């Protein structure tokens, strides 16, 4: 059964809410939660889910891969914001502005490692 874009979106948002990062150490993981909860269109993970659904009705098997795509994308945004010295991301303070540059770098690195896992 083919899902609509909004159905994929709802399923991915539910998965995202249920699969947050560790809570401790707070200094490392709070910035990760912060950026992942800033919103965005989430088109990359939706495209991954849609692509899998073309070949299988069991597209939910690709949810971890879609999550990894989203985490990796946000990792690139964190490091890009540092490089560009951007003060805002999606209308909110960037991680390096809200927390610190060191926290942003380390949290971005955690996201990269998590995405590859």
């Amino acid at each position: 059964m083919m899902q609509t874009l909004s159905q994929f979106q709802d399923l991915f948002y539910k998965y995202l809410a249920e699969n947050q990062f560790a809570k401790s150490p707070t200094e490392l993981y709070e910035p990760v939660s912060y950026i992942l909860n800033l919103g965005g269109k989430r088109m990359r993970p939706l495209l991954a889910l849609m692509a899998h659904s073309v070949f299988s009705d069991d597209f939910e098997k690709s949810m971890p891969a879609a999550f990894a795509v989203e985490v990796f994308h946000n990792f690139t945004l964190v490091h890009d914001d540092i490089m560009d010295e951007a003060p805002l991301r999606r209308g909110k303070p960037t991680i390096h502005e809200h927390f610190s540059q060191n926290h942003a770098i380390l949290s971005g690195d955690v996201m990269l490692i998590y995405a590859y896992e």
Side-chain angles (χ1 to χ4, degrees):
M1 176 170 113
M2 186 60 116
Q3 305 288 324
T4 65
L5 182 61
S6 63
Q7 288 171 319
F8 280 119
Q9 209 168 23
D10 291 344
L11 290 168
F12 183 74
Y13 286 146
K14 183 177 182 237
Y15 187 88
L16 183 63
E18 293 171 353
N19 290 280
Q20 292 293 314
F21 284 73
K23 301 291 183 208
S24 180
T26 306
E27 299 83 7
L28 189 60
Y29 292 107
E30 189 177 348
V32 174
S33 294
Y34 176 80
I35 188 135
L36 288 176
N37 291 314
L38 283 183
K41 297 180 285 293
R42 314 268 193 222
M43 289 307 297
R44 288 160 189 82
L46 297 180
L47 289 170
L49 295 174
M50 291 169 65
H52 190 269
S53 74
V54 169
F55 301 101
S56 170
D57 287 337
D58 195 10
F59 69 89
E60 290 190 37
K61 284 184 177 180
S62 63
M63 202 65 79
F67 183 63
V69 167
E70 183 66 9
V71 170
F72 183 83
H73 173 63
N74 278 274
F75 144 73
T76 65
L77 296 178
V78 170
H79 283 255
D80 182 62
D81 288 342
I82 294 168
M83 299 288 291
D84 294 345
E85 299 178 2
L88 299 174
R89 166 70 53 196
R90 299 177 185 132
K92 303 282 186 189
T94 54
I95 287 182
H96 68 277
E97 291 288 330
H98 187 72
F99 297 94
S100 74
Q101 185 168 329
N102 287 343
H103 286 108
I105 291 169
L106 291 174
S107 297
D109 291 350
V110 163
M111 293 167 71
L112 173 64
I113 292 165
Y114 192 87
Y116 279 117
E117 285 180 351

